[in-house]
Amino acid sequence: LHGEDGDDTYGDHATEHGGDLSRSVNISVSGAWLNPGGRRGGGRRRAKFGFRDGSPSKGTDSRPERIRQVADDALRRLQTDHIDFFYQRRVDPDVPIDDVAGTVGELIAAGKVRHFGLSEAGVATIRRAHAVQPVTALQSEYSLWWREPEEQIVPTLTELGIGLVAFSPLGRGLLTGTITAETKFGDPRANPDAFPRFAEENWQSNEALVELLRACGDEHGATPAQVALAWILARNPTDVPIVAK
């Protein structure tokens, strides 16, 4: 299930966007579709918490009472008795990760949540959280274009038995082979001023990587994007790329 911003979530979009009726209705309709006849159907339900009113611009909010509110609202709108994966969207500097993990652990003990996930957390945070409540998966940017997690994050996940959910596995679109130096981005997150990897002075090295993927793909009848995704899966079959960008 994918939310409107590609964040792999439904639950907290219904709650963390507060009065946004269209999104809440969308969640409720999805809940009815997933549970024909009032019975839980197939598929896994994911929800996230971590931002005040669901808006990154308003800052983080992982207070225990907020976590419980997001979970209960997600259960109600998804019309289900449990959430399969419950992720913290961003680490909250004002709330100890031990408290966050403990609160999710209580939800797991109550049967409301099955698995606990983190997003873009550092090694120390991952270890502290995992010591309180086992972490099932970590979401982090990872691709042939962005391999920084290999330095410390990936070894830690391997040691602790935590899965990696790789977002932007296609390098925010670059590894599809469809972006050129003249491409204009509608998403401000891909603006060269905010994202130096898209800056003109870096384009030559970027283009070389794409051409390498294209050549490899031509040998195997695949696109650059397919090669980029195959690379992630080949490195660790338990890694899961979020194919959105």
Side-chain angles (χ1 to χ4, degrees):
L1 303 181
H2 301 281
E4 294 177 17
D5 63 0
D7 263 345
D8 236 54
T9 179
Y10 263 115
D12 74 337
H13 272 272
T15 58
E16 293 211 344
H17 285 89
D20 190 333
L21 180 61
S22 64
R23 297 194 184 198
S24 296
V25 170
N26 184 44
I27 305 300
S28 299
V29 169
S30 299
W33 177 75
L34 286 167
N35 304 293
R39 297 171 305 197
R40 181 180 167 104
R44 294 183 182 275
R45 282 74 169 168
R46 298 181 177 93
K48 292 181 182 179
F49 62 90
F51 287 125
R52 186 172 296 111
D53 298 328
S55 174
S57 65
K58 294 184 178 181
T60 54
D61 186 356
S62 286
R63 293 169 298 149
E65 58 268 31
R66 177 60 178 166
I67 296 173
R68 288 189 285 266
Q69 177 195 357
V70 172
D72 287 341
D73 284 351
L75 290 171
R76 176 171 55 83
R77 289 197 169 97
L78 285 171
Q79 301 177 29
T80 185
D81 62 349
H82 69 270
I83 300 164
D84 294 288
F85 292 93
F86 202 31
Y87 285 94
Q88 182 187 38
R89 299 175 75 177
R90 292 292 183 277
V91 175
D92 188 337
D94 297 322
V95 180
I97 193 63
D98 315 69
D99 293 348
V100 173
T103 301
V104 176
E106 292 171 0
L107 293 171
I108 291 174
K112 295 182 177 182
V113 170
R114 292 288 187 267
H115 302 285
F116 175 35
L118 297 172
S119 182
E120 297 192 270
V123 169
T125 298
I126 294 169
R127 290 188 180 279
R128 283 179 57 191
H130 193 71
V132 176
Q133 169 60 47
V135 177
T136 298
L138 172 80
Q139 286 195 5
S140 180
E141 181 174 358
Y142 183 51
S143 69
L144 269 167
W145 198 42
W146 183 252
R147 299 177 63 176
E148 185 179 85
E150 293 176 359
E151 296 177 11
Q152 297 185 27
I153 297 296
V154 171
T156 300
L157 299 183
T158 300
E159 175 193 338
L160 300 177
I162 300 172
L164 173 65
V165 178
F167 70 77
S168 296
L170 298 178
R172 301 180 184 269
L174 179 80
L175 301 182
T176 62
T178 60
I179 292 178
T180 69
E182 289 73 39
T183 299
K184 303 299 181 183
F185 299 98
D187 186 343
R189 292 174 296 182
N191 187 306
D193 293 333
F195 217 110
R197 283 179 277 171
F198 280 109
E200 182 178 355
E201 61 268 23
N202 294 324
W203 184 253
Q204 186 172 358
S205 57
N206 291 338
E207 191 172 33
L209 174 58
V210 174
E211 288 307 312
L212 180 63
L213 291 176
R214 199 185 309 279
C216 181
D218 288 344
E219 291 183 14
H220 299 281
T223 65
Q226 288 173 323
V227 174
L229 294 175
W231 177 83
I232 290 179
L233 295 172
R235 292 184 66 80
N236 190 340
T238 63
D239 292 350
V240 180
I242 301 175
V243 188
K245 54 188 176 181

